[in-house]
Amino acid sequence: MKKVFGLVLLLAGFSTSVIAEEGKSGLTLNGYLQIENRVRILDSVKSWDETRLALTGEAKPNDSSRVFAELWVKTKLPVVSTLSDISNPGIINPYNLSLREAYADVYGFIFKGLDLRVGRQRIAWGTADNIGPTDSINPKDLEDLWDFGRKIGSDAITLNYYLYDFKLTGVYATNFVPAVLPASGLANYFYSGFAVPAGLVLTGYTTALSLPANDLKENYVAALKLARTLFGIDFSLSYVDGRDGLPVLRRAYVTPVNLMAGMVVVSTELEYPKTHITGFDFSGSLFDIGYWGELAVFSPDKVVTTIDLSALSMLGLSNQEVVAIDDKPYTKYVLGCDYTFPGNVYINLQYLHGFFHERGEDNLEDYVMFNLDWKLFDEKLKLVPLAGAIELKDTADLSNNYAVVYTPEIVYIPVDGMELCLGSRIIYGMDTTLFGKMKDNDEAYLRIKYSF
């Protein structure tokens, strides 16, 4: 912890000198402090407790270059189980330090019209709010399951070339990084498993992940995008040669530990299959109504899962093969709009076909995301009476295949830059749906954020 404080103080000291020198060097430091606590309504268990300090630094030493970095320092709940644990400051007061972004820009790199960005960067493609299927270069950060839009920065080289009204972007990320999955059992919703054959009793389970080989042929993400504005509408075409950030079961070994009792253990191997994504997006405004849309065609490599039952051949069982991911292309898309009514009433609607974890045309579901807020008293108070999502798994049998997530909030802004938010997340739905499986996880939460 001393090291973190030292770093923070160093940055703070750096910022002081920076701000003092602003105007000469163009250096600035910003950030925010966010404290969030959640409690599960069903049993009053604390489900989330985080203090996050985010620091962003930006330097513009001249008109042709820029350096930017974002650093997060987060506290975590201590997990103490033994007497010796309470003598370990790292266990009593755990924290996490992550470099979200750190990159340098060079404008007019080699020749005029060509810009270079190199380093860890968030490459946000697409026009939708948080759920766009074309935003697929950076891996998902699902540590907080309800922050759909959070991504991990990628170590990459980005070139932007401007010619007439066109902008051509090329990206090469030097490493594939898998998505961060939520802690506890919630991670199980985002990768495939399998059921042992009938009559067998599972007594143990281990999992091994197989990452791409660490070479130029396998371990990379490459992408291209062509964009321009026409008749006031922004358009872009994109292509990503990457990998699915969520693992897929490749092989499962079923081994007997007590053949007479049918008791077995299972060891699995998961991999991250190659995926090619061709995308199109647009955004514009008509009569002060903002609108946007994205379409992405996913062309994955085929993955066949092998259930290895060779150790149980004496029971008459043989190996099984199941297609986990077919190589047939499938399409995800999103359409959205927003509008601010007189009286500071804001509404945002998005319709999504295919959530980020869904694969294959027959497995894509439909979702409606909605948000309505009302700012009052010179925007000191914001009421959010309608916000959340509706999941429609099967419209032909909707009564058994739907879920609703409802997240009303009250936000108070006592001073500029500070927000006090009190909210809840109520989930209702069928067990056949993603959100319906989480219906016992209703939460109430308090979030305090101060931006500076």
Side-chain angles (χ1 to χ4, degrees), residues 260-272:
M260 295 298 291
M263 299 170 65
V264 297
V265 295
V266 172
S267 59
T268 61
E269 297 175 357
L270 292 87
E271 67 176 16
Y272 296 89

Side-chain angles (χ1 to χ4, degrees), residues 215-282:
D215 58 35
L216 295 176
K217 184 180 178 182
E218 296 291 334
N219 199 346
Y220 70 93
V221 178
L224 280 174
K225 186 172 79 167
L226 181 64
R228 73 159 298 178
T229 300
L230 192 63
F231 305 118
I233 304 173
D234 298 325
F235 297 93
S236 76
L237 290 167
S238 60
Y239 170 77
V240 176
D241 176 9
R243 290 182 180 274
D244 196 317
L246 300 174
V248 177
L249 180 62
R250 182 182 62 190
R251 197 172 190 91
Y253 299 92
V254 183
T255 306
V257 292
N258 186 332
L259 203 54
M260 295 298 291
M263 299 170 65
V264 297
V265 295
V266 172
S267 59
T268 61
E269 297 175 357
L270 292 87
E271 67 176 16
Y272 296 89
K274 290 278 290 184
T275 302
H276 306 269
I277 305 166
T278 305
F280 169 75
D281 66 70
F282 65 91

Side-chain angles (χ1 to χ4, degrees), residues 293-360:
E294 294 184 32
L295 182 148
V297 179
F298 290 73
S299 304
D301 284 1
K302 190 172 186 176
V303 177
V304 176
T305 300
T306 300
I307 312 300
D308 192 326
L309 300 168
S310 56
L312 299 170
S313 58
M314 67 287 290
L315 299 179
L317 298 175
S318 57
N319 290 356
Q320 302 173 4
E321 291 192 338
V322 180
V323 176
I325 296 181
D326 206 339
D327 54 3
K328 295 179 181 176
Y330 57 92
T331 303
K332 297 182 179 181
Y333 54 86
V334 60
L335 294 170
C337 65
D338 67 352
Y339 183 73
T340 301
F341 292 92
N344 274 337
V345 176
Y346 173 77
I347 187 169
N348 181 307
L349 289 171
Q350 294 191 99
Y351 170 74
L352 171 69
H353 180 68
F355 214 16
F356 64 87
H357 67 292
E358 295 167 354
R359 308 178 179 105

